[in-house]
Amino acid sequence: MNAEFLPVTMEEARERGWDQVDFVYVSGDAYVDHPSFGAAIITRVLEANGYKVGVIAQPDWKDPESISVFGEPRLGFLVSAGNMDSMVNHYTSSKKPRRSDAYSPGGKAGMRPNHAAAVYGNLIRRSYKNTPIIVGGIEASLRRLAHYDYWSDKLKRSILLDSGADIVSYGMGERSIVEIADALASGLSIEDITFIDGTVYKTRSLDYVYDAVTLPSFERMQQDKLAYAESFGVQYRNSDPFTGKRLVEEYPHGVYVVQNPPSKPLSRGELDAVYRLPYARTYHPMYEAEGGVPAITEVKFSLASSRGCFGECSFCALTFHQGRIVQSRSKESLVEEAKLFADDPDFKGYIHDVGGPTANFRAPACRKQMSHGACPHKSCLFPEPCKKLEVDHEDYLGVLRSLRALPGVKKVFIRSGVRFDYALADPDDTFIRELCEHHVSGQLKVAPEHVSDAVLSVMGKPRNEVYERFRKRYARVNADLGKKQYLVPYLMSSHPGSTLKEAVELAEYCRDLGYMPEQIQDFYPTPSTISTCMYYTGVDPRTMKPVYTPKSTHEKALQRALIQYRDPKNYDLVVEALRKAGREDLIGFDEHCLVRPRKGGGKQAGGQGDKRGGKQGAQSRSGARDAKQRPRSERADARDGKPRSRKAGTDSRDTRDDRGPKRSRRRPEGAAGGSPARSKKGSSRR
């Protein structure tokens, strides 16, 4: 717990006896040496392999001197925007600036530039003309080839070209970064390092690229959106480390960008070794005067147990970044890390999370994935669980039981999201029972996302009846345990495939459940998701079939207002949406109506709300009181703005790195078996 930080000044490097560092790591985040942060893992992995690394955190991008702290490194600069895509870090889905940044000292916003990886790369290149520059992290990974940029509303080139860098290290970079370092240390020129899996490089000749799939050229994609959809479909089908092909993208002036196949997944022993490295496990003391770095608060006592996800939600870029093959740490590794918590005076006995992209995924979906890869044209869970899917919660339950038994541990929460369709596929209720008995504190967050099967099919999510079955089973198990616990469904508006008809369907569901979310997440077109490709091109890249996408600000407002129809501020929007959808039957005084007609042309107070009374309304009010009355320590799992194990910048709602925080932008209410409860701020979603 008291490991020495890597040097942040040349003076500190000299104290170690170094005259020159091998690598300078430039990050858009404040320096936090904790394995939930990509910078910490990459720098410690390099250190473990004998390399000298200095860290420059959040340099002043207007001042070239800010990246010259260590002078010229012996081998190269490593550049990352941080644990999040910098544009997602800066802006909401409505493109409004965020007021804070959990990854900066004191939560201060504006400590990094827009498109940070490209800006840092160009800043370095102006001062160091020939020094190798390797860009990595979530921003570079998801922008490694031509991609749609929501904030400029245009197709952008590979970040390799826009950043002035030599190589992109994409995906989970432990393997590729060591191979790059070893190649440079052996004397190879950066231009000759073209053979490493998990990297992207540029070239003017394809003479030695003999086995690649050629994607549509950048110029063609600029002229034809369907060409981009075609390209993204090819990329998506080649994102597996065992079956993925080399890809080539042509740019003007005879430049080619070549993507090598993804790196192979780490074995359990290799992943354990990464987390056994000597992290300081906190932020650098230079931030103490500013109040520290907020992002450490939750991950400090959380455990990242896995990476990779075979869930394949369309709005999530995990397949594109981490891949579909799940890798997990051993129980012994997780227990060993948890024991370190007791040495920290801030530890109060609560382990905040044990999970990853999906908490209850702890192994590949089937045995063949580790030798033959994931099926390129089939999903493991959608539209139905594959017959070869191996559903087993026993390993995860063993981990949770061991952690619960540790001295000083009062509660072990699961906040990184439970995939409810996978839980249902297990004929044994043991996992759901122990989840309810030990790992939920009043509310469990799950992510059905929508109720319309038409929208769910576009999202790659299970049909609504699957969620309904889980909701009933959850209620039954809690009743058997004598517990009053609520299910909090996350919902998304304006996703591709959602017309006003489907939005009304979602509003009616909320009405019948007696549930109104306080905040709704609009679909957020973040780089390199299937849903973002749909948003830009109007077709599903997997099938090339047209998909309706709400794009105007006003239509998005209409869909969001329908879900929050009880809010008086939304009255005019709700009425307009209902009329456009041909559902004026929902304007009236009957119980099934969403809003009442105006009285004498005056202002309307709003929707029916809980004034309808009845069992649902009474349960809603009592559930809200129960949720509020629980002690703060027991409501800890309902907070917002806390780091999660999910991978950053990967989700088209609000993206984060799996080694860092994910903030939900809303506070939903919840329901157990249909009984709502007002929630504190929400956790991450599956």
Side-chain angles (χ1 to χ4, degrees):
M1 297 282 288
N2 297 313
E4 185 180 7
F5 286 88
L6 295 173
V8 296
T9 66
M10 196 59 212
E11 289 73 19
E12 292 178 359
R14 291 192 183 100
E15 288 173 4
R16 292 179 172 226
W18 302 353
D19 294 325
Q20 185 184 28
V21 297
D22 295 322
F23 291 100
V24 173
Y25 192 107
V26 179
S27 174
D29 289 342
Y31 180 23
V32 182
D33 189 33
H34 186 282
S36 288
F37 290 72
I41 284 185
I42 294 302
T43 54
R44 289 298 187 183
V45 165
L46 285 170
E47 179 188 47
N49 281 271
Y51 293 101
K52 303 170 184 175
V53 185
V55 176
I56 300 177
Q58 297 188 320
D60 180 355
W61 64 94
K62 304 179 191 71
D63 180 9
E65 289 299 313
S66 66
I67 48 86
S68 299
V69 172
F70 295 95
E72 183 176 22
R74 183 174 71 93
L75 298 177
F77 283 93
L78 310 175
V79 177
S80 170
N83 264 19
M84 290 176 62
D85 184 283
S86 57
M87 301 303 289
V88 179
N89 178 278
H90 286 170
Y91 301 101
T92 67
S93 59
S94 57
K95 301 184 183 180
K96 294 179 181 177
R98 299 191 193 273
R99 290 172 290 183
S100 62
D101 177 1
Y103 295 94
S104 293
K108 184 179 178 181
M111 298 297 289
R112 81 192 82 209
N114 288 346
H115 300 291
V119 172
Y120 293 151
N122 283 295
L123 182 69
I124 293 166
R125 185 57 75 211
R126 286 199 293 271
S127 296
Y128 300 95
K129 304 298 183 185
N130 301 309
T131 308
I133 300 175
I134 300 97
V135 293
I138 190 72
E139 181 165 287
S141 183
L142 298 183
R143 297 172 182 268
R144 59 189 185 256
L145 295 174
H147 57 279
Y148 171 68
D149 183 74
Y150 170 63
W151 302 272
S152 61
D153 191 28
K154 67 179 183 180
L155 199 69
K156 290 181 70 72
R157 304 189 303 171
S158 164
I159 196 172
L160 190 60
L161 304 181
D162 285 345
S163 65
D166 299 287
I167 293 179
V168 172
S169 170
Y170 73 88
M172 310 304 283
E174 294 95 343
R175 286 196 192 284
S176 62
I177 199 62
V178 173
E179 291 185 51
I180 292 169
D182 289 348
L184 290 170
S186 72
L188 276 180
S189 167
I190 190 70
E191 291 83 8
D192 294 330
I193 303 176
T194 61
F195 50 85
I196 296 174
D197 286 348
T199 63
V200 180
Y201 66 93
K202 55 193 173 186
T203 182
R204 290 189 175 275
S205 172
L206 296 178
D207 290 348
Y208 299 100
V209 184
Y210 55 88
D211 58 350
V213 174
T214 302
L215 301 173
S217 70
F218 183 69
E219 287 182 305
R220 182 184 160 204
M221 289 188 287
Q222 282 184 306
Q223 296 163 3
D224 182 5
K225 290 182 179 181
L226 293 183
Y228 174 66
E230 174 191 335
S231 175
F232 190 83
V234 175
Q235 295 173 46
Y236 187 79
R237 290 188 291 273
N238 285 278
S239 58
D240 183 85
F242 293 95
T243 63
K245 303 291 192 296
R246 213 173 315 277
L247 304 177
V248 171
E249 198 170 64
E250 183 182 359
Y251 286 85
H253 311 299
V255 175
Y256 299 92
V257 171
V258 182
Q259 174 184 298
N260 289 320
S263 290
K264 296 294 188 293
L266 298 183
S267 68
R268 177 164 284 188
E270 289 171 325
L271 195 57
D272 285 353
V274 167
Y275 283 86
R276 200 178 297 121
L277 295 173
Y279 303 97
R281 307 191 67 82
T282 188
Y283 53 78
H284 195 282
M286 63 184 169
Y287 305 122
E288 202 65 56
E290 297 172 88
V293 180
I296 190 62
T297 305
E298 192 73 4
V299 296
K300 191 174 185 181
F301 303 123
S302 293
L303 297 167
S305 69
S306 63
R307 61 172 58 163
C309 182
F310 52 79
E312 290 189 276
C313 300
S314 301
F315 45 77
C316 179
L318 275 170
T319 299
F320 208 70
H321 183 61
Q322 289 191 7
R324 288 169 59 188
I325 299 176
V326 173
Q327 305 133 71
S328 61
R329 295 167 62 188
S330 68
K331 178 175 69 176
E332 293 73 21
S333 172
L334 292 162
V335 169
E336 179 184 346
E337 184 178 353
K339 287 179 178 178
L340 298 176
F341 296 166
D343 298 333
D344 194 304
D346 293 332
F347 183 59
K348 307 302 181 187
Y350 298 97
I351 295 178
H352 297 153
D353 187 29
V354 184
T358 297
N360 55 329
F361 289 175
R362 284 273 297 164
C366 65
R367 295 179 185 179
K368 84 173 191 66
Q369 285 191 347
M370 285 303 289
S371 57
H372 295 83
C375 300
H377 300 285
K378 289 175 61 180
S379 294
C380 302
L381 279 170
F382 177 82
E384 300 283 349
C386 176
K387 292 180 180 179
K388 294 184 178 179
L389 177 68
E390 298 178 7
V391 182
D392 183 8
H393 288 94
E394 199 55 42
D395 181 50
Y396 191 40
L397 285 168
V399 169
L400 295 172
R401 290 165 184 163
S402 295
L403 293 172
R404 294 200 306 263
L406 287 176
V409 172
K410 299 175 184 177
K411 188 82 172 180
V412 178
F413 295 109
I414 299 174
R415 301 185 192 168
S416 50
V418 170
R419 185 78 186 214
F420 60 82
D421 50 346
Y422 183 76
L424 277 181
D426 191 340
D428 188 344
D429 267 355
T430 303
F431 172 68
I432 296 178
R433 180 170 292 274
E434 291 199 21
L435 175 71
C436 295
E437 187 173 5
H438 298 290
H439 305 289
V440 177
S441 187
Q443 300 175 4
L444 175 67
K445 286 82 176 174
V446 290
E449 304 295 355
H450 214 280
V451 299
S452 166
D453 288 345
V455 179
L456 291 169
S457 67
V458 177
M459 290 178 163
K461 299 287 285 186
R463 298 185 311 277
N464 186 50
E465 65 89 10
V466 179
Y467 172 68
E468 286 299 303
R469 282 196 286 119
F470 178 79
R471 185 171 67 86
K472 291 172 183 176
R473 186 177 293 187
Y474 178 78
R476 175 175 57 78
V477 170
N478 274 293
D480 291 345
L481 293 169
K483 287 179 174 286
K484 191 175 184 180
Q485 299 190 126
Y486 302 95
L487 200 59
V488 183
Y490 284 120
L491 303 172
M492 186 189 300
S493 65
S494 305
H495 188 274
S498 177
T499 68
L500 284 176
K501 174 180 176 291
E502 286 76 30
V504 171
E505 188 178 342
L506 184 54
E508 290 185 287
Y509 179 85
C510 292
R511 174 203 64 201
D512 296 341
L513 202 61
Y515 165 72
M516 188 185 81
E518 291 182 350
Q519 297 180 22
I520 292 294
Q521 179 64 60
D522 282 342
F523 166 66
Y524 199 164
T526 57
S528 297
T529 71
I530 294 173
S531 299
T532 298
C533 184
M534 294 179 196
Y535 177 90
Y536 176 58
T537 66
V539 301
D540 186 329
R542 296 165 294 192
T543 64
M544 297 302 288
K545 293 181 179 179
V547 177
Y548 175 80
T549 303
K551 299 188 76 169
S552 75
T553 301
H554 186 64
E555 183 174 0
K556 290 180 181 181
L558 292 177
Q559 294 208 19
R560 184 170 57 249
L562 279 167
I563 305 175
Q564 296 177 305
Y565 66 88
R566 296 179 191 169
D567 189 334
K569 297 191 297 293
N570 290 336
Y571 179 81
D572 289 335
L573 289 170
V574 173
V575 170
E576 180 186 349
L578 292 174
R579 286 175 176 161
K580 284 185 173 181
R583 293 300 308 273
E584 293 186 58
D585 60 299
L586 295 176
I587 305 172
F589 295 96
D590 291 342
E591 189 175 74
H592 78 282
C593 293
L594 300 183
V595 293
R596 297 170 179 169
R598 292 191 186 277
K599 298 177 181 178
K603 289 187 176 180
Q604 166 68 349
Q608 307 260 351
D610 283 336
K611 294 180 181 179
R612 293 193 339 259
K615 183 177 179 181
Q616 291 284 357
Q619 288 179 332
S620 175
R621 293 188 292 275
S622 65
R625 286 194 299 271
D626 290 343
K628 287 181 176 179
Q629 289 168 1
R630 286 196 301 276
R632 180 177 297 273
S633 62
E634 294 182 8
R635 289 186 277 130
D637 65 337
R639 300 180 202 146
D640 187 15
K642 306 300 183 186
R644 301 286 180 262
S645 298
R646 171 191 295 280
K647 188 71 193 159
T650 59
D651 191 307
S652 290
R653 291 164 301 216
D654 199 12
T655 59
R656 303 292 184 269
D657 196 88
D658 79 332
R659 294 174 278 215
K662 176 185 187 299
R663 289 183 298 190
S664 171
R665 303 301 299 174
R666 55 201 168 153
R667 295 186 296 157
E669 295 180 1
S675 303
R678 183 177 304 275
S679 134
K680 295 294 283 183
K681 298 182 181 180
S683 72
S684 59
R685 314 153 60 163
R686 287 307 314 140

